[in-house]
Structure formats: C-alpha cells, structure tokens
Amino acid sequence: MSIWDYWNATPADKANLRLLISGKGWTVFADRVDDEGKVVERGSKEQIDSALINALSASNFLTLTGAGASLCARNGAGEPHAPSMVDLWDAVSAAVGPVAFAAICAKFPKAKIDDNIEKLLSLCKVYLELNEAAQADDADVNAVRNFVTQAEACILSKVDFVSQTTALPAHEAYVRKIGRRGFRKARAKIFTTNYDLTLEEAARRLRFTIIDGFSHSLDQVYDPQHFDFDIVRRDVNKDAPDYIPNVFHLYKLHGSMDWRRIGADVFRSRDNDMGKPVLIYPRSSKYQEAFDPPYLDMMGAFQAALREPDTSLVIAGFGFNDDHVSRPIISALETNLSLRLIICDPSFIPSENDLRGVALAPAAHAIADDGVHRNGFLDKIKTLAAAGDQRVHLINGRFEDLAEGLPDLIGETDRERHIERVKVLRDQAD
C-alpha cells in the first residue's frame, strides 16, 4: 500500500495530525498511555490546539489553500471529481487523442516531462513564443497552438466539478470556523490558488457572506474597490453601524472557473460561451501572468496582508511549487517578527510505517527529501521549525484533518440556528 492509499483509506480526524517538535521530531496527536491508562508520553494535542487558537485569535488571520485542499470534495459514482495533476495529464491526453498527444510530447525529446501537464504546457508556451513569426500555414506551430487551446479547455472543464450535491464537509467546517472569528477584528482572508468553487459553495450552504471583489448587481462585475467594502446592519436607534458576523474575504490568486473577461471587464458566469476564461493555467509563466490584472490585485493584497503586525497564516494543500506565492511568504518570515505560520501537509511524513505506528520520525527528516524533488522554500521553513522558531509550526495531515482540528472560538450564532430551522422547514415542504 502506498502512502496515498493509506490516506485514501483513512477517515478525516484531527487525531491524524502530527506536529514537528524541535529536538523531538514528529509527535502524534494523542498521548501515549500504558496498559493501566497512565500517560507515558505526551502527544502534540495541546500544542496543536494552542497554535491554532493563537492563529485564529490574531488581529489579522490569513489562510492559503492549494490543490490538495480540494481532493476531499466528493461527488457520486460516475460524476466528476477534483482533479490531481495526474488526472489532468490523463484527461488532456484523452481529449486530444493518444496519437496527437504523443506527437506533441515528441517535439520535446530531451525534456523530462514526467507526465506533468504543467511542464508540457510550459514547453508549448516557449515553443510558440520562439516560433511567433512562423507562417500561418506552418503545420507544426498550428498543431502546438491547437493542442494548447484544447488542453486549456479540458482543464477548465475538469475543475468544474462542484454542484449543489457535492459533499463538502471539510470545506463547510473550515469556512464555518474561520467565518465565526470575532467580527470586531479584521475580516478573515482566504487566499487560494484553486479555480474550483468549493469554498463558494460551502459558504452558500452556510449562508456566509463572501467579499471577493465582485459587485452585488445582476451582472456581477469585478472591481478591486469592492474589497474595501463591508457588510453592516443599520439600526435607526444606533449611531454606529453594526458589523454582521459570518463574513470573510476570498482572493483567488490564479483566477476562477466562473470568471469571464468581456472587453476590459471581468464578469462572474459559468457560461463557457460567454467571454474568455480568466485563469492562470498550469505552466511556468504563472509568475509573470500573476502580475496582470485582476491577479495583480490578489497578489498585492496577499503581500500587503503578510506585512501587517500580529498576523497569522495557515496553509493547507499548497506544495510551495509556485514561486510567486512562496517568495512573499519567505520574505514575510524574514521581516515580520509577529507573523505566525502553520503549514499542514500530508506529505511531510513519507513513510506509511511511521503513520501507522506511534514512532517519532527524527527531526532531520521533517520533510521528505529524495535528493531530486527538492523544494528550497520548504527547506528554509523546515530549518526554522527544526531550530525551534516559535512562529513556525509544521503539521503532518490533510486539509480535512485540519478542518476537524480547527477550534470553534465562537459558538453557533442565532443567525446560523435560524438558517438551519428555515432549511428544515423548506426541506419538509419539498
């Protein structure tokens, strides 16, 4: 059984979380007890709880999610699911046809593509730029250009897997606990590199309000000024506005599958025939594309938020493979003394035996390193954590395990209870 088979067969539970403790290594969540029920070794539960409570209690709370956070979304058998990079490779191959797909790969014989659609699209992008002046009837150039068009359309269709029946327990729990954060503090900010609508659908079901840069008019249009607005309840008997709870900001760093550009404006629509999709597709030029609007607004907000005092950043499902997102985090660690960072990832412990048992992995092997797939950003963060930097916490686990582990700082509000009551009445009526 591979490490991923282990995780696929393991239900979501905060007990799956393991914390890297300086000088000790990866420490299991629960205490270890003997046959008589006496604690013989303390687990990491108290430290994980403390780190998460402190993060949610910070003046400025940020969270960053990546592709790994969407893999726990579930549809019925035969329905679309959240795609991994391997899924996208297979889907694009099927969409263009095995023969045509092999012909495109054969144009880059010396490149190590490793069944990675991001690498292949990056090579195609460079190829087209180098042959920009080619004749319009150049068969090779047209073949690559058509392949890129088909691949991007395929990727867009694969990330459109969220419906009203999609099971999203982890996303609902995550949004609920973050959105309930005290509204007297700055609104929580969720940043994501994902195109899908898991967070939007979770918020819709909970009746939480998202501020994401789009207007509330009939045709929702993007304007960065909308991030400066808030939702308040006006009372004629009060002089000051009353900020309503259950509101958070959402920044989609790579665009969204329901964004469409028409002229100079970006509208929200799931109509694939409307305008041009606003997505940063997987390829190496993501760094440059991220500094075009509207992505520039998202990245600017991310960088500015990381510089704020008393800020916490919780990361889940993000592998630090996007330089333009990873570099600001490293810079913030170097310059912002009050920044608190929590990273949750299931690949920190690569050994299935360590996950099945209670053995503590040495701190020196805190992050998987096979000597080939090195990640310089994670190496720096690992060094800080292993050295005992109290600002940094590394947790081995999945997004859904973290969602279970996040504490509820504020109990269910009257508004949430009322929404549930109304939902029951409507379900009975249906």
Side-chain angles (χ1 to χ4, degrees):
M1 179 184 287
S2 71
I3 190 68
W4 299 114
D5 290 333
Y6 166 84
W7 282 118
N8 290 335
T10 303
D13 194 322
K14 61 183 179 181
N16 296 325
L17 301 175
R18 286 169 169 76
L19 177 69
L20 178 65
I21 298 178
S22 177
K24 187 176 181 181
W26 291 107
T27 307
V28 295
F29 187 82
D31 296 337
R32 187 155 33 159
V33 298
D34 59 18
D35 295 338
E36 298 178 355
K38 295 180 180 179
V39 176
V40 296
E41 187 167 14
R42 287 290 180 188
S44 57
K45 178 184 182 303
E46 292 183 2
Q47 289 165 283
I48 290 177
D49 287 345
S50 175
L52 293 174
I53 289 172
N54 290 336
L56 283 171
S57 302
S59 299
N60 302 285
F61 175 82
L62 321 175
T63 185
L64 170 65
T65 64
S70 293
L71 297 178
C72 59
R74 293 287 183 270
N75 282 322
E79 296 180 351
H81 59 272
S84 64
M85 292 300 287
V86 174
D87 293 331
L88 291 179
W89 174 274
D90 294 339
V92 171
S93 175
V96 303
V99 175
F101 190 75
I104 294 295
C105 294
K107 292 184 181 298
F108 314 104
K110 295 183 179 181
K112 294 183 179 180
I113 300 175
D114 300 324
D115 293 354
N116 187 315
I117 194 63
E118 181 168 334
K119 291 182 180 180
L120 182 57
L121 286 176
S122 299
L123 291 169
C124 290
K125 177 77 171 179
V126 173
Y127 179 90
L128 293 175
E129 289 176 351
L130 291 174
N131 293 277
E132 188 175 3
Q135 296 295 324
D137 59 350
D138 189 307
D140 288 338
V141 174
N142 285 334
V144 174
R145 185 178 292 112
N146 292 335
F147 167 76
V148 171
T149 300
Q150 288 180 281
E152 291 181 349
C154 178
I155 291 171
L156 178 62
S157 67
K158 291 295 290 183
V159 298
D160 187 9
F161 63 89
V162 177
S163 69
Q164 294 185 2
T165 59
T166 302
L168 299 169
H171 292 84
E172 291 181 35
Y174 203 74
V175 165
R176 182 187 300 111
K177 294 173 180 179
I178 289 173
R180 282 181 181 171
R181 207 176 80 101
F183 56 88
R184 299 300 178 189
K185 297 183 179 181
R187 299 295 194 185
K189 294 180 171 65
I190 300 181
F191 297 88
T192 182
T193 59
N194 297 338
Y195 315 128
D196 60 61
L197 304 180
T198 50
L199 293 168
E200 290 94 327
E201 177 62 19
R204 184 196 67 79
R205 296 177 187 180
L206 297 169
R207 303 298 190 267
F208 279 32
T209 303
I210 298 177
I211 297 175
D212 60 359
F214 282 84
S215 66
H216 294 277
S217 56
L218 180 60
D219 291 325
Q220 291 185 282
V221 63
Y222 174 80
D223 188 327
Q225 294 186 48
H226 292 143
F227 282 114
D228 297 328
F229 300 163
D230 210 324
I231 310 296
V232 300
R233 182 187 297 107
R234 294 190 63 86
D235 189 332
V236 294
N237 298 317
K238 295 181 180 179
D239 294 331
D242 182 17
Y243 288 88
I244 70 170
N246 304 343
V247 178
F248 64 91
H249 286 209
L250 177 62
Y251 300 83
K252 306 194 82 168
L253 301 175
H254 289 171
S256 179
M257 57 76 48
D258 64 341
W259 292 4
R260 299 290 184 273
R261 189 186 300 278
I262 301 178
D265 290 326
V266 175
F267 292 86
R268 173 176 282 122
S269 174
R270 297 183 75 167
D271 183 357
N272 290 333
D273 295 327
M274 176 181 177
K276 182 180 180 181
V278 182
L279 295 179
I280 296 181
Y281 291 96
R283 53 180 172 239
S284 59
S285 59
K286 286 187 290 187
Y287 191 99
Q288 294 92 328
E289 294 177 48
F291 291 93
D292 292 331
Y295 317 113
L296 178 61
D297 305 323
M298 310 289 172
M299 285 303 305
F302 184 55
Q303 295 175 11
L306 288 171
R307 291 193 293 267
E308 292 292 329
D310 190 23
T311 293
S312 62
L313 172 63
V314 177
I315 299 176
F318 178 73
F320 284 82
N321 295 314
D322 295 325
D323 289 8
H324 60 288
V325 180
S326 304
R327 291 185 187 279
I329 297 172
I330 299 299
S331 177
L333 280 173
E334 294 174 349
T335 58
N336 190 346
L337 295 178
S338 63
L339 176 69
R340 292 190 285 274
L341 175 64
I342 299 174
I343 304 176
C344 184
D345 194 291
S347 62
F348 282 160
I349 300 178
S351 168
E352 180 192 346
N353 292 332
D354 286 339
L355 289 171
R356 289 191 176 281
V358 292
L360 305 180
H365 303 294
I367 295 181
D369 177 13
D370 57 9
V372 178
H373 300 93
R374 292 292 299 270
N375 188 304
F377 300 112
L378 280 177
D379 283 346
K380 291 180 180 180
I381 296 172
K382 177 190 72 172
T383 300
L384 291 176
D389 189 330
Q390 297 300 311
R391 301 175 302 158
V392 180
H393 295 85
L394 300 184
I395 299 175
N396 192 83
R398 300 162 298 180
F399 170 77
E400 52 264 45
D401 301 318
L402 178 65
E404 291 286 329
L406 275 177
D408 262 319
L409 295 185
I410 299 176
E412 188 178 37
T413 64
D414 290 338
R415 181 169 179 264
E416 289 179 66
R417 282 191 288 269
H418 178 68
I419 288 171
E420 286 300 317
R421 288 193 294 265
V422 171
K423 183 180 179 181
V424 170
L425 288 175
R426 289 176 176 172
D427 288 344
Q428 289 178 346
D430 291 340

